[in-house]
Amino acid sequence: MAISYTWDVSTVDTYPTKDSNSDVVYNVHWRLTATDGTNKDSDGNNWTATSYGSQGLDTESISSFTAFGSLDAAKVQGWVEAAMGADTVTEMKASLKAQITEKITPTSVTKTIS
């Protein structure tokens, strides 16, 4: 099972001005999607699992400010992962992989008696 992970970090909250800087990002609304590139569901789609949330960023000391117009997804993703910490990111990815595994080979199935 080859799992790929894709971040969506395109929605952010900003302070209009902070410490003489404009549009300072202080919160990122993120979505992390895991996609199984090997296994497909009965409709022929790759199995996926998604987690989402928001991550606050430390704006107390802005030593290397990046102008809003210069931001890209890779930069913001880096901020989010750094703020979460490597262990949390690893745990989230493991959880998404486990969810896909459960979809492929369920350990429990709900059925209706007629």
Side-chain angles (χ1 to χ4, degrees):
M1 177 170 23
I3 303 290
S4 62
Y5 299 92
T6 306
W7 287 90
D8 176 352
V9 293
S10 58
T11 304
V12 298
D13 298 319
T14 65
Y15 294 124
T17 56
K18 181 166 179 28
D19 299 335
S20 302
N21 296 303
S22 298
D23 298 322
V24 176
V25 176
Y26 70 90
N27 190 54
V28 179
H29 302 273
W30 56 267
R31 180 177 304 274
L32 179 59
T33 301
T35 303
D36 180 347
T38 306
N39 299 293
K40 298 186 183 297
D41 64 17
S42 60
D43 294 327
N45 300 310
N46 294 86
W47 288 103
T48 63
T50 302
S51 183
Y52 62 91
S54 61
Q55 178 62 52
L57 304 175
D58 183 6
T59 60
E60 287 303 310
S61 175
I62 305 171
S63 58
S64 59
F65 181 73
T66 303
F68 189 83
S70 297
L71 291 178
D72 60 18
K75 177 85 166 170
V76 177
Q77 177 185 333
W79 292 345
V80 169
E81 289 191 48
M84 288 179 168
D87 288 346
T88 298
V89 173
T90 298
E91 289 169 9
M92 287 177 17
K93 288 180 176 181
S95 174
L96 292 172
K97 183 177 180 178
Q99 289 174 43
I100 291 173
T101 300
E102 179 66 23
K103 289 177 182 181
I104 294 169
T105 53
T107 56
S108 174
V109 177
T110 301
K111 297 191 174 201
T112 302
I113 299 171
S114 54

